[in-house]
Amino acid sequence: MKTEDNGNITAIHRSSRRPGTIYLEEKEKKTIPLQTRFTEKIRKTCSCSSKKAKDTLLSFLPVLQWLPKYKPKEYLLGDAMSGLIVAILLVPQSIAYSLLAGQEPIYGLYTSFFACIIYFLMGTSKHIHVGIFGVLCLMVGEIVDRELQAAGYDKLDDQRSQLSSMAGLIANETLDANQTSKMTCDRSCYAITVGATVTFMAGVYQVGFVSVYLSDALLSGFATGASFTILTSQVKYLLGLSIPRANGIGSSICTWIYIFQNIHKTNICDLVTSIICLLVLVPAKELNECFKSKLKAPIPIELFVVVGATLASHFGHLKEKYGSSIAGEIPTGFLMPKPPEWGLIPNIALGALSIAIIGFAITVSLSEMFAKKHGYEVKANQEMYAIGFCNIIPSFFYCFTTSAALAKTLVKESTGCKTQVSGIITSLVLLLVLLVIAPLFYSLQKCVLGVITIVNLRGALRKFLDLPKMWKVNKVDTSIWLVTMFSSALVSTELGLLIGIVFSMLCVIVRSQKPGVTLLGRVEASDVYESMTVYKDLNTTKGVKVFRFEAPLYYVNKQCFKSTLYKYVGVDPVLVALAEKKAAKKKEKWQKKEGTADSSLTTMEVVQRLYQEQMPLHSVIIDCSAIQFIDTAGLNTLKEVLKDYDDIGVRVLLAQCSSCVRNSLRNGDYLKREEGTMVFHSIHQAVQFALYEQEQKDAFVNGSAV
């Protein structure tokens, strides 16, 4: 017979002898020798043509593809508006996050400037903003502090640690000869050297990644846990305390201990300034959130606070009168490029890896999310190159690690951004700041920068409000979130990420060890089969059990598959085999007692009669629709099940196998009999076949008996 499927005529041959069996003729696969394939691959890779060179250049620099099609009348106003507003928000945040990364404010401005330009040239997302991200700044800052301590800079006095990095001078007689030989610049200079080297290595890792699989729950939990660490690191600025920065396991707890031990040294001026800034920033931020649909652009409250606080500090002489800590000199212009410190790479390689993973995962996630929302396509591999070079190239210009930033991306989108041109507008504003305006922030109090950083953590900390809903949706994801969050907050950011990844992998293994299993029943007047534990009033077929296993069948869950199958079907062939031995012994005793041998009944027949009296089952159908793959251990387990049931006269049929599973069955010699008698395209076909075969068997037995 022939059926019509989506307008195409497909030939289907149905065996008249076995109803329910469909035979499909597979396409012949052309076998290409390995040497031929390898030669062809080398030829394509190594061949060079003008078209291939052009395609390579256009794929590496997507700006050459979309910029010629740019429509100024349609796009320019939105891009200019969003670029300007993001830049206004970015200036104070760049300065504030520099402290988080253990750097001078000027380096934060450098970082934002170069990242915007490079992503404009290489990025494929029209909406995301690539720049300073708080979590990455924290991770960079931890590595910087660790290397500063290892080099002996923790012994420098406060005055010398405030020297400008531009001078590149250091002289400290209290250090021993070995420490002095390591130091070729002052504390700030060495800090940016470490930060730039970390950034270079993170970029190299990111360019080398093919893909990274981190769940949303893990990323969200890590960001929230890191937010607690960021908050902890900024409290000392709010209070005006001078305490050492804790590193390693339990650094947050140690920091709070230091804070409470020195709480009596709180600078009242910094504390009052912090409270005033909080009282201004938090309500203004909430108003921006509440009225974002009505506002054409968010109120740049951070810039207003920075300008107001700088003027108050300058004219009030807060540093001279009250000892308030200020940003200090912020030079103008750019420095000559400098390569990373290659000797530091062995020390920072592992830390840079975790930074690279987080930066890449966040960037790709945000770019895909906004591309889907606005109906265009981003290329994950190109995003990988873009974010990698956003770190590699700026590392030569005294910058630290960047990635996509959610808060500024949302601002960028909501203010009319159309293309990546908005990033160039942002960089032009930052260039103006770097060349002219930066020195005006000399008197800005560090406590103001700390408040700005803490207020921007609100989004991550609000994730706690989503926990009840998350728990209802998926308890495993919620557990991953909690474990990652607590380990990142209480242990350390790097170890917290590692713990989260390991726990996430364990959850995957546990879920595959305990997969969903159920018996299926037929929906009345249809050929649809559904779970009998979920739906009621489903019909069952006498003598047939339909079992669904919802996981790959591999070495981890092979025993679970076998035990749950026997349990749900209600017949354990191993126990039946034991019953066979007992039946054989009973038969021998009976023959001895009667003194005669009954050759008409074999031992197996006696077992089957006893078995059929208890459970009249003749067929087991395994629904393989949710089995993505089968490995060698899983295939051997399936063979064992087939043999065990075959020994007691129960046939095992498979239904709805994917092409991958079918290939595994063929290659593993599971289909020793005709494939059409063991594997079926639907459950209903398998049930029909099982009933037909049983009818033929019963007819044969009854005919033989007559």
Side-chain angles (χ1 to χ4, degrees):
M1 63 179 290
K2 290 186 177 182
T3 63
E4 192 168 325
D5 182 19
N6 296 326
N8 299 321
I9 304 299
T10 305
I12 298 180
H13 307 281
R14 185 181 296 276
S15 172
S16 58
R17 241 179 13 91
R18 295 190 178 101
T21 306
I22 291 179
Y23 297 92
L24 296 178
E25 186 176 355
E26 294 186 356
K27 293 181 179 179
E28 292 185 5
K29 296 181 179 179
K30 295 182 180 180
T31 304
I32 303 175
L34 180 61
Q35 183 179 359
T36 304
R37 283 187 291 173
F38 183 74
T39 305
E40 184 67 17
K41 185 71 174 177
I42 292 294
R43 187 184 66 80
K44 288 183 178 180
T45 304
C46 297
S47 63
C48 185
S49 64
S50 58
K51 184 179 182 301
K52 186 173 182 180
K54 179 182 176 181
D55 292 341
T56 302
L57 180 63
L58 291 178
S59 63
F60 189 72
L61 295 174
V63 65
L64 299 177
Q65 298 182 47
W66 61 263
L67 192 58
K69 304 174 185 177
Y70 189 78
K71 302 175 183 178
K73 292 183 179 179
E74 187 177 344
Y75 298 153
L76 187 57
L77 181 61
D79 285 340
M81 178 66 70
S82 65
L84 177 62
I85 292 170
V86 170
I88 291 172
L89 297 175
L90 196 59
V91 170
Q93 289 187 17
S94 297
I95 298 173
Y97 285 179
S98 298
L99 300 180
L100 193 60
Q103 309 296 338
E104 295 294 328
I106 187 65
Y107 300 128
L109 295 170
Y110 286 162
T111 301
S112 297
F113 171 76
F114 284 106
C116 289
I117 293 177
I118 296 170
Y119 191 80
F120 163 78
L121 298 173
M122 301 187 65
T124 59
S125 174
K126 300 176 183 179
H127 293 89
I128 69 168
H129 169 80
V130 173
I132 294 179
F133 182 55
V135 173
L136 296 187
C137 290
L138 171 70
M139 298 175 75
V140 171
E142 290 178 341
I143 297 176
V144 167
D145 281 348
R146 185 187 67 204
E147 292 304 313
L148 286 173
Q149 291 180 5
Y153 282 94
D154 57 330
K155 296 182 180 180
L156 291 172
D157 59 279
D158 293 337
Q159 183 180 358
R160 195 168 296 278
S161 69
Q162 294 295 326
L163 287 175
S164 171
S165 62
M166 309 306 171
L169 301 173
I170 185 166
N172 186 5
E173 294 77 13
T174 61
L175 300 176
D176 59 34
N178 292 332
Q179 291 171 333
T180 304
S181 64
K182 291 180 182 179
M183 298 182 184
T184 58
C185 57
D186 69 1
R187 183 186 184 92
S188 176
C189 174
Y190 192 74
I192 192 56
T193 300
V194 175
T197 307
V198 170
T199 301
F200 175 81
M201 283 305 300
V204 171
Y205 287 137
Q206 287 167 337
V207 169
F209 285 161
V210 177
S211 59
V212 174
Y213 298 98
L214 298 180
S215 66
D216 291 340
L218 188 146
L219 285 174
S220 177
F222 176 76
T224 304
S227 296
F228 276 107
T229 307
I230 294 172
L231 187 150
T232 299
S233 68
Q234 298 303 296
V235 170
K236 66 178 182 181
Y237 296 115
L238 271 64
L239 300 177
L241 296 176
S242 178
I243 59 174
R245 184 166 177 172
N247 287 298
I249 297 175
S251 57
S252 295
I253 298 174
C254 292
T255 301
W256 281 108
I257 292 174
Y258 292 151
I259 289 171
F260 285 112
Q261 286 177 344
N262 295 272
I263 196 72
H264 60 283
K265 299 179 182 178
T266 299
N267 187 300
I268 302 300
C269 178
D270 284 342
L271 178 61
V272 171
T273 303
S274 300
I275 294 173
I276 293 173
C277 291
L278 282 170
L279 292 176
V280 173
L281 281 171
V282 173
K285 287 278 190 177
E286 293 299 325
L287 287 174
N288 272 338
E289 288 289 328
C290 293
F291 298 101
K292 63 181 179 181
S293 59
K294 298 180 180 179
L295 294 172
K296 292 184 178 180
I299 302 170
I301 188 63
E302 292 171 325
L303 184 64
F304 294 156
V305 167
V306 166
V307 171
T310 303
L311 293 174
S313 176
H314 176 73
F315 291 105
H317 304 288
L318 300 184
K319 176 176 174 57
E320 293 78 8
K321 291 182 179 180
Y322 305 104
S324 182
S325 179
I326 60 174
E329 182 182 352
I330 303 178
T332 57
F334 292 89
L335 299 173
M336 290 296 293
K338 174 187 174 183
E341 186 65 42
W342 310 116
L344 285 172
I345 290 179
N347 298 342
I348 55 87
L350 185 59
L353 177 60
S354 59
I355 292 173
I357 292 173
I358 291 297
F360 174 69
I362 290 173
T363 302
V364 172
S365 299
L366 285 180
S367 61
E368 290 180 345
M369 180 177 73
F370 283 93
K372 183 178 180 180
K373 181 178 179 180
H374 292 275
Y376 62 91
E377 183 181 359
V378 294
K379 299 177 181 178
N381 281 347
Q382 183 58 32
E383 289 297 295
M384 169 184 71
Y385 291 127
I387 192 62
F389 281 100
C390 278
N391 287 318
I392 291 176
I393 297 174
S395 69
F396 290 83
F397 294 90
Y398 304 88
C399 300
F400 46 91
T401 317
T402 57
S403 74
L406 176 59
K408 288 177 279 293
T409 299
L410 291 172
V411 171
K412 191 174 179 180
E413 181 210 25
S414 64
T415 51
C417 172
K418 300 296 182 183
T419 67
Q420 295 94 314
V421 169
S422 62
I424 283 294
I425 304 297
T426 300
S427 63
L428 290 176
V429 176
L430 291 173
L431 181 61
L432 179 65
V433 173
L434 283 166
L435 296 179
V436 180
I437 303 175
L440 300 179
F441 295 109
Y442 174 86
S443 298
L444 177 61
Q445 292 170 271
K446 287 185 177 180
C447 64
V448 177
L449 301 176
V451 170
I452 291 173
T453 301
I454 290 175
V455 170
N456 282 308
L457 300 176
R458 294 173 307 120
L461 298 178
R462 280 177 179 166
K463 292 293 183 181
F464 283 100
L465 301 177
D466 298 333
L467 278 180
K469 183 179 179 181
M470 193 189 302
W471 182 259
K472 290 180 181 179
V473 173
N474 194 310
K475 294 179 174 58
V476 175
D477 281 351
T478 309
S479 301
I480 293 172
W481 190 94
L482 289 170
V483 169
T484 308
M485 187 275 295
F486 279 115
S487 57
S488 300
L490 301 179
V491 181
S492 72
T493 49
E494 292 179 6
L495 283 177
L497 176 61
L498 178 61
I499 292 170
I501 292 174
V502 171
F503 184 75
S504 181
M505 294 172 62
L506 289 175
C507 287
V508 172
I509 295 173
V510 169
R511 276 194 276 194
S512 64
Q513 281 183 317
K514 299 293 182 181
V517 292
T518 184
L519 288 180
L520 304 183
R522 182 183 177 187
V523 179
E524 190 173 359
S526 73
D527 57 359
V528 176
Y529 287 77
E530 285 293 346
S531 171
M532 297 179 66
T533 58
V534 177
Y535 302 99
K536 56 184 179 181
D537 299 328
L538 298 178
N539 299 324
T540 58
T541 304
K542 185 178 180 181
V544 178
K545 295 283 188 179
V546 183
F547 175 79
R548 175 182 289 166
F549 188 75
E550 299 175 350
L553 180 53
Y554 65 125
Y555 69 97
V556 172
N557 59 19
K558 61 178 183 177
Q559 192 57 41
C560 174
F561 169 78
K562 183 187 276 190
S563 60
T564 53
L565 173 64
Y566 294 166
K567 177 183 176 182
Y568 276 71
V569 168
V571 175
D572 189 336
V574 177
L575 297 180
V576 174
L578 294 176
E580 174 188 349
K581 295 181 180 180
K582 293 181 180 179
K585 291 181 180 179
K586 288 183 180 179
K587 180 182 177 183
E588 291 177 2
K589 291 181 180 179
W590 178 77
Q591 287 177 344
K592 289 179 181 180
K593 183 178 180 181
E594 296 294 329
T596 180
D598 185 5
S599 60
S600 62
L601 287 177
T602 64
T603 304
M604 182 57 67
E605 288 173 341
V606 172
V607 173
Q608 289 179 359
R609 285 186 181 182
L610 291 172
Y611 158 70
Q612 289 174 357
E613 290 176 359
Q614 297 174 359
M615 181 64 67
L617 178 74
H618 58 77
S619 300
V620 173
I621 298 171
I622 301 174
D623 176 16
C624 301
S625 60
I627 300 179
Q628 295 94 338
F629 65 87
I630 299 178
D631 72 350
T632 305
L635 186 63
N636 291 334
T637 302
L638 208 55
K639 288 180 179 179
E640 293 173 9
V641 169
L642 178 66
K643 181 180 181 301
D644 291 344
Y645 274 120
D646 191 57
D647 288 344
I648 63 172
V650 176
R651 66 181 61 84
V652 176
L653 308 176
L654 307 182
Q656 303 188 132
C657 297
S658 65
S659 58
C660 173
V661 172
R662 281 176 174 269
N663 289 334
S664 297
L665 295 175
R666 292 193 193 103
N667 298 334
D669 295 329
Y670 178 84
L671 305 172
K672 292 183 179 179
R673 299 197 297 270
E674 186 181 350
E675 183 173 339
T677 67
M678 301 182 71
V679 182
F680 297 84
H681 293 282
S682 73
I683 298 173
H684 192 61
Q685 293 164 7
V687 171
Q688 285 182 312
F689 177 83
L691 293 175
Y692 174 78
E693 287 291 302
Q694 190 60 29
E695 287 177 5
Q696 296 295 315
K697 181 178 179 180
D698 292 343
F700 176 77
V701 171
N702 293 334
S704 300
V706 173

